[in-house]
Amino acid sequence: NAGVMQNPRHLVRRRGQEARLRCSPMKGHSHVYWYRQLPEEGLKFMVYLQKENIIDESGMPKERFSAEFPKEGPSILRIQQVVRGDSAAYFCASSLAARDLISNQPQHFGDGTRLSIL
Amino acid sequence: DAKTTQPPSMDCAEGRAANLPCNHSTISGNEYVYWYRQIHSQGPQYIIHGLKNNETNEMASLIITEDRKSSTLILPHATLRDTAVYYCIVRRPLNTGTASKLTFGTGTRLQVTL
């Protein structure tokens, strides 16, 4: 069973360009999460999506960042007009839907996309 | 989410058990304890989680105190490949709003040595 697949592994962009990061969840997983890890810092939650719906975007910067998880295809994290401060590792995680509101399903992570802004 | 406190670093000899402590004194009755680890340049790896009872899987054991204010992750026979940053995370169940996100702290940097 393949794990969470993220591509590209490394992405280099110049300031002002757009960055598109892709995430294919584990087979059967309908929940996707994006996290960002700035250099020498811990992982910070960005957004939580279910198929075609954004459930929690409390960690997303208000401008330039957007995420989607369409009915078909991978989840996409899009960063418009990138700046140097966007340089980071971006991790995607996926999980099964919970059986009920009380149970927990662990999130499984991909190996990330390392974004470098020149 | 309840805040967790972990020692910043620990050493362990290869072949020995590694016992990683975590304090979560403000944990609520319905919050789970999760453990992840992150090996350099890789994504976080899920290890184990529990609510009240002790748990064991092929990777590790999780011991949760009766009052649930602390827990210990046990790697029974540490190897060099277990060198990583280990994160203890308390997570709400799904019926409490924005509960699904994981809040990572600074973790414990475990160094396994020969």
Side-chain angles (χ1 to χ4, degrees), chain A residues 12-70:
Chain A
V12 179
R13 286 287 179 267
R14 296 188 181 279
R15 282 179 293 171
Q17 291 184 319
E18 178 180 288
R20 292 171 70 87
L21 288 62
R22 286 178 291 278
C23 169
S24 295
M26 289 178 68
K27 185 177 181 180
H29 287 194
S30 58
H31 296 209
V32 164
Y33 315 78
W34 286 93
Y35 294 79
R36 178 168 66 174
Q37 188 169 32
L38 294 168
E40 305 304 320
E41 293 188 17
L43 286 91
K44 304 292 185 190
F45 167 80
M46 299 181 76
V47 63
Y48 161 39
L49 309 102
Q50 296 177 20
K51 281 289 187 182
E52 300 185 281
N53 290 306
I54 295 175
I55 306 303
D56 176 7
E57 56 182 348
S58 59
M60 284 280 269
K62 295 288 184 271
E63 298 176 346
R64 302 187 298 107
F65 285 72
S66 62
E68 62 177 14
F69 187 20

Side-chain angles (χ1 to χ4, degrees), chain A residues 35 37 98 104-105 107 111 114, chain B residues 34 36 41 43 91 100 102:
Chain A
Y35 294 79
Q37 188 169 32
N104 261 226
Q105 294 291 339
Q107 297 177 22
D111 277 336
R114 272 122 188 108
Chain B
Y34 274 75
Y36 282 81
S41 79
R91 185 187 184 199
S100 277
L102 296 172

